[in-house]
Amino acid sequence: MTPDDLWRALSDPAQDLALTLALLLPAVVLAALALRGQAPWPLARALLLRFRWTNLLFVGLMALSVGLGGALLSQERALRQAAARAADPFDVIVAAPGDEVRVLLATVYLQPAAALPLLGADALRAIQADPRVSLAAPVAFGDSHDGAPVVGTTTAFLDRLAGPPTEGRPWRSASEALAGAHAAVTLGETIVPAHGHGDAAEPEAHTGAGLTVVGRLPETGGPWDRAILVPIETLWALHGLASGHAPQEGERLGPPFDPDYFPGAPAFVLSGERLADAYAIRARHDREGAMAFFPGATLARLHAVLGDVREAMSLMAVLTQALAAAGVLAGLVALARLFARRFALLRAMGAPRRFVLGVVWLYAACLLGAGCLAGLALGWASAGLVSAAVSARMDMAIRASLGWPEIQLAACAFSAASVLALAPALAAYRRAPVEDLRAG
C-alpha cells in the first residue's frame, strides 16, 4: 500500500487529525531538542510567573489574532452552509430566460428585485404534461407587509419546504395567510399587503384586501421564515388578474391550474420522485421561452466566483497572526535583553549555552501556545455572537462553530511562531556573559 492509498483509506476526521499533528511537528521537534538532557522548565516557569502581567499581554495579543482569524473563517463556512440548506427544498426552478442568479436570489432568498418576466400558459401546459413532475408550485412575490415579503404559492410546496403548521391551521380560502416561523405577525391578525418593498412600497395599493393569519409554519432556517405566505390566487386577485381556474369552478385553491385562465408566475419550483427525474425535468424545460436550473448548481458557481473572498479572508487571518506573533517575538527580544545579566550569571556558574537557548525558547513557546489555545476559545465564543448578528442581518439560521480548518490554522501559527521564537533564543545564546556581567 502506497502512502497515497493509506491516506485515502483514512476517514476524514483521521485525515484532519493527521494533518494537525503534522503542522505541530516543528514545534514538537524543537521542544524535544530544548528539553533533551536539560531541565529548563523550572527557570522558564519562574519567568512566566515573575512577569505574569507582561506575559498576559503577549498571550492576549496572540489570542486576539487567532480568535479573529478563526471566527472569520468559521463564519464564512457557516454562511455557505446556511445558503445551501436554504436552497435544498428547491430541486428545479423554471423561470423566463434571463439571469439565474437574479431568479435564485428572488425565489430562494426572497431578495427584492425588479419585476421578473412571467411564465405564461405555454410553460404551464409543458409542466403539467411532464409525467416526471411530482410537484409543480408557482411562486409569486413583489408585495410586503411591514418589511416582510408576502409570497404566493401552494400548500404542497409549503409542506415540502417546512411541513404542516406548528400553530393554527393551513389556509382554507384566499383571504387567509400563514406566517413564517419568525414573521412579526400574530395568529388572528388581519394584514393588508403593500405593493412593493421598502421605501418604494405602496401601502394603499391593496386597501380593503385584508388577510387573516391562521397559522405559523415550522422554522426552516432560511429567509422564508420571515415571510408571510398566501395562496398564489390571492396575489393574482390583489393585482386584478385571473385566478388560474375557470369561473365555474368557484373559489378553488392550488393545482391543477387552467392554462386558459393562468395569469403567469415569475417562477415555478419543480420536483421529481427520483434524482434522475430532476435531471430529466431540467433538461426538458430548459428550452426556448423558459429557463430551468438547479439552485444548488447556480449557488456553487456563485461560491466559486466569490472564492477569492475566502482566500482573502484566509490571507487576512494569516497576516493578522503573523503580525501578532511578530509583536510577541519583538517583546521577547526586549525581555531577553533584560534577562541578560541573569543568564550571564547562569553561564558563569557553569550552565551551557544550549541551556540558555532552551530556557528562552521554552518561555516563548509557552506564551505562544497559551495564546493559540486562548485564541481558539475566544474564536469559539465569538463565533456564536457573530452568527447571531449575521443571522439577523441575512435572515438565515447561521450556526458557526470552530472546526478542523481553524484548529489547523492555529496549529500552523503555533509551529511557525515557535520556529521564529528561535530568534530571541539565539540572541540570548550568542551573547557573551562577560560583557553582560560588566554591563550590570
Side-chain angles (χ1 to χ4, degrees):
M1 177 179 290
T2 65
D4 288 342
D5 294 334
L6 180 60
W7 179 257
R8 284 192 293 268
L10 294 175
S11 62
D12 289 341
Q15 289 182 358
D16 289 328
L17 180 58
L19 182 57
T20 304
L21 294 177
L23 291 173
L24 287 172
L25 186 60
V28 173
V29 172
L30 287 173
L33 292 175
L35 296 172
R36 183 173 63 89
Q38 305 295 332
W41 170 243
L43 187 54
R45 182 177 58 185
L47 294 176
L48 291 171
L49 295 176
R50 173 68 177 81
F51 300 96
R52 62 175 64 90
W53 299 115
T54 303
N55 296 335
L56 285 176
L57 179 62
F58 289 156
V59 170
L61 180 62
M62 195 68 189
L64 187 61
S65 67
V66 173
L68 177 62
L72 285 175
L73 294 181
S74 64
Q75 205 62 229
E76 188 272 341
R77 184 178 65 251
L79 182 58
R80 285 190 287 111
Q81 293 172 345
R85 283 196 303 270
D88 278 345
F90 300 78
D91 286 352
V92 180
I93 294 179
V94 180
D99 185 358
E100 290 183 7
V101 174
R102 182 183 172 202
V103 176
L104 174 72
L105 294 177
T107 306
V108 177
Y109 304 105
L110 300 182
Q111 294 298 305
L116 296 174
L118 301 182
L119 288 174
D122 291 341
L124 177 63
R125 289 190 182 95
I127 290 171
Q128 291 182 338
D130 190 345
R132 296 182 180 85
V133 175
S134 60
L135 170 68
V139 178
F141 30 78
D143 291 346
S144 63
H145 173 71
D146 287 344
V150 176
V151 184
T153 186
T154 65
T155 54
F157 178 67
L158 294 184
D159 287 342
R160 174 178 174 80
L161 177 73
T166 54
E167 300 178 52
R169 58 172 176 82
W171 62 57
R172 295 172 183 165
S173 70
S175 62
E176 296 178 340
L178 294 175
H182 304 308
V185 293
T186 58
L187 266 63
E189 180 180 349
T190 298
I191 64 170
V192 178
H195 183 69
H197 294 266
D199 296 335
E202 303 174 19
E204 305 300 325
H206 306 311
T207 301
L211 304 175
T212 303
V213 179
V214 297
R216 186 176 298 277
L217 295 175
E219 182 177 1
T220 67
W224 285 63
D225 285 341
R226 65 182 178 89
I228 298 170
L229 296 317
V230 300
I232 193 168
E233 292 87 350
T234 301
L235 288 190
W236 288 332
L238 289 177
H239 294 86
L241 302 174
S243 67
H245 306 283
Q248 58 268 27
E249 295 185 22
E251 182 181 352
R252 178 177 175 177
L253 302 180
F257 298 100
D258 190 333
D260 294 333
Y261 299 92
F262 185 70
F268 274 86
V269 180
L270 307 183
S271 295
E273 295 292 342
R274 300 172 300 174
L275 180 61
D277 292 337
Y279 281 92
I281 290 169
R282 177 193 170 279
R284 178 167 180 172
H285 298 284
D286 191 22
R287 54 187 175 80
E288 184 178 356
M291 171 182 68
F293 63 94
F294 296 126
T298 302
L299 189 62
R301 289 197 298 270
L302 185 60
H303 285 157
V305 171
L306 299 177
D308 291 342
V309 175
R310 177 175 176 80
E311 293 178 5
M313 293 175 67
S314 300
L315 179 61
M316 183 173 66
V318 172
L319 290 177
T320 301
Q321 293 178 6
L323 290 175
V328 172
L329 294 176
L332 291 176
V333 170
L335 284 178
R337 290 183 178 274
L338 294 177
F339 301 157
R341 180 171 174 76
R342 293 178 175 86
F343 292 145
L345 288 173
L346 288 175
R347 293 285 309 282
M349 295 170 61
R353 282 189 173 190
R354 63 179 181 276
F355 179 80
V356 175
L357 178 70
V359 169
V360 176
W361 182 87
L362 187 59
Y363 169 63
C366 288
L367 294 181
L368 295 169
C372 289
L373 290 176
L376 288 175
L378 179 63
W380 176 81
S382 61
L385 298 177
V386 176
S387 291
V390 176
S391 295
R393 182 79 175 176
M394 301 293 294
D395 295 313
M396 289 190 291
I398 299 174
R399 304 177 183 89
S401 61
L402 296 189
W404 282 109
E406 290 73 39
I407 295 174
Q408 289 162 5
L409 184 65
C412 183
F414 174 59
S415 283
S418 66
V419 173
L420 295 177
L422 288 173
L426 288 173
Y429 175 85
R430 298 180 62 181
R431 294 183 67 87
V434 175
E435 295 178 2
D436 290 332
L437 289 172
R438 288 175 178 173

